């Protein structure tokens, strides 16, 4: 324990958050106690409370981390290519990769994000999570506007509803493919990859200009 005391506070917090993430993924947030987290991280419960006031603070850190990673994936997808369809394909691929690498984070970004910051009980991480989410929405907004200006996407798209439907459809298809992979294979004869490819294509052509349909 002497060696641990010399480590920066950030190292201890990261250890605890990492252990909590694994437990949340295995058991769920509600079924995981602070005692469970302390044991998994190798700390006493008293020491755990030195670094985090409660479980909600840990969840807040994880939600923020998940949003930061999502921002990185979306940004990377959008800067690599210019054409609307290829950029769209890379967004979808990036989200699939994100889900495969960080399944727990993927589920977290689909959860409700607090937008009420008047209460003193709100964590600073909640505001930052919201702000990063808004930055992601802005990137998708610019992607849609660019596609409309280039004549690739429908000119009658209502941007904000389109953004939320975009997220709902793409993330829903990905989660469905994960949850029902065996059923999809048996009942449709499709691999998860082919099912996703078909679903992503349907979404794209729902927002594409009609004369671009194949």
């Amino acid at each position: 324990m002497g060696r641990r005391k010399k480590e920066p506070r950030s190292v201890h917090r990261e250890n605890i958050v990492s252990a909590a993430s694994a437990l949340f993924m295995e058991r769920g947030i509600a079924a995981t106690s602070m005692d469970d987290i302390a044991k998994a991280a190798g700390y006493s419960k008293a020491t755990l409370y030195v670094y985090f006031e409660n479980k909600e603070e840990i969840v807040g850190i994880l939600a923020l981390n998940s949003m930061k990673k999502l921002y990185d994936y979306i940004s990377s997808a959008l800067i690599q290519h210019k054409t609307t369809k290829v950029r769209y394909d890379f967004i979808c691929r990036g989200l699939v990769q994100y889900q495969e690498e960080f399944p727990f984070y993927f589920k977290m970004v689909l959860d409700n994000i607090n937008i009420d910051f008047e209460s003193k009980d709100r964590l600073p991480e909640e505001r930052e999570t919201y702000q990063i989410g808004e930055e992601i929405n802005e990137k998708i907004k610019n992607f849609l506007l660019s596609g409309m200006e280039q004549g690739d996407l429908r000119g009658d798209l209502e941007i904000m509803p389109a953004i939320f439907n975009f997220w709902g459809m793409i993330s829903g298809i990905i989660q469905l493919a994960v949850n029902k992979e065996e059923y999809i294979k048996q009942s449709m004869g499709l691999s998860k990859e082919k099912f996703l490819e078909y679903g992503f294509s349907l979404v794209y052509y729902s927002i594409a200009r009609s004369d671009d349909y194949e």
Side-chain angles (χ1 to χ4, degrees), residues 4-205:
R4 273 189 168 176
K5 291 179 180 179
K6 296 179 182 179
E7 293 175 339
R9 178 181 178 85
S10 60
V11 172
H12 296 292
R13 284 173 63 88
E14 186 176 337
N15 290 341
I16 293 166
V17 166
S18 178
S21 177
L23 287 175
F24 291 160
M25 188 182 302
E26 178 186 350
R27 308 178 183 180
I29 294 173
T32 302
S33 67
M34 289 291 272
D35 273 335
D36 296 330
I37 296 170
K39 290 175 184 176
Y43 294 83
S44 68
K45 188 174 181 181
T47 302
L48 186 69
Y49 280 105
V50 171
Y51 299 106
F52 291 97
E53 291 186 8
N54 50 46
K55 186 169 67 174
E56 287 68 30
E57 187 178 357
I58 298 174
V59 172
I61 294 289
L62 284 169
L64 175 58
N65 289 346
S66 72
M67 198 62 76
K68 286 179 177 178
K69 290 184 185 297
L70 179 59
Y71 179 88
D72 290 341
Y73 274 80
I74 296 298
S75 298
S76 177
L78 289 174
I79 64 175
Q80 293 185 48
H81 298 276
K82 298 298 182 183
T83 65
T84 303
K85 182 60 167 63
V86 174
R87 294 176 87 197
Y88 170 82
D89 289 341
F90 269 79
I91 290 173
C92 293
R93 291 178 194 176
L95 289 173
V96 171
Q97 184 181 357
Y98 176 53
Q99 190 284 325
E100 290 174 347
E101 294 187 14
F102 307 103
F104 179 68
Y105 281 177
F106 184 83
K107 290 182 179 180
M108 288 199 78
V109 298
L110 302 180
D111 287 342
N112 181 52
I113 295 177
N114 176 54
I115 59 173
D116 173 21
F117 302 112
E118 297 301 320
S119 172
K120 294 180 180 179
D121 295 331
R122 297 305 181 190
L123 300 170
E125 290 82 11
E126 290 182 295
R127 180 182 292 276
E128 189 175 353
T129 298
Y130 170 78
Q131 290 171 340
I132 295 173
E134 290 297 282
E135 290 174 18
I136 293 172
N137 285 338
E138 188 67 19
K139 286 187 175 294
I140 299 301
K141 174 183 174 181
N142 291 335
F143 161 72
L144 293 174
L145 288 173
S146 175
M148 292 166 71
E149 290 171 2
Q150 294 176 38
D152 298 324
L153 302 181
R154 288 167 40 185
D156 63 345
L157 293 177
E158 296 182 37
I159 296 300
M160 288 310 295
I163 290 172
F164 274 78
N165 278 280
F166 179 90
W167 283 124
M169 288 186 286
I170 297 299
S171 60
I173 290 168
I174 293 172
Q175 196 61 59
L176 181 65
V178 172
N179 294 343
K180 301 291 187 179
E181 183 174 2
E182 287 304 314
Y183 177 82
I184 290 168
K185 186 182 299 182
Q186 291 180 16
S187 65
M188 305 175 199
L190 294 176
S191 65
K192 184 176 80 170
E193 291 71 25
K194 286 296 183 181
F195 176 80
L196 288 171
E197 182 181 322
Y198 181 76
F200 295 154
S201 179
L202 284 179
V203 173
Y204 181 77
Y205 288 112

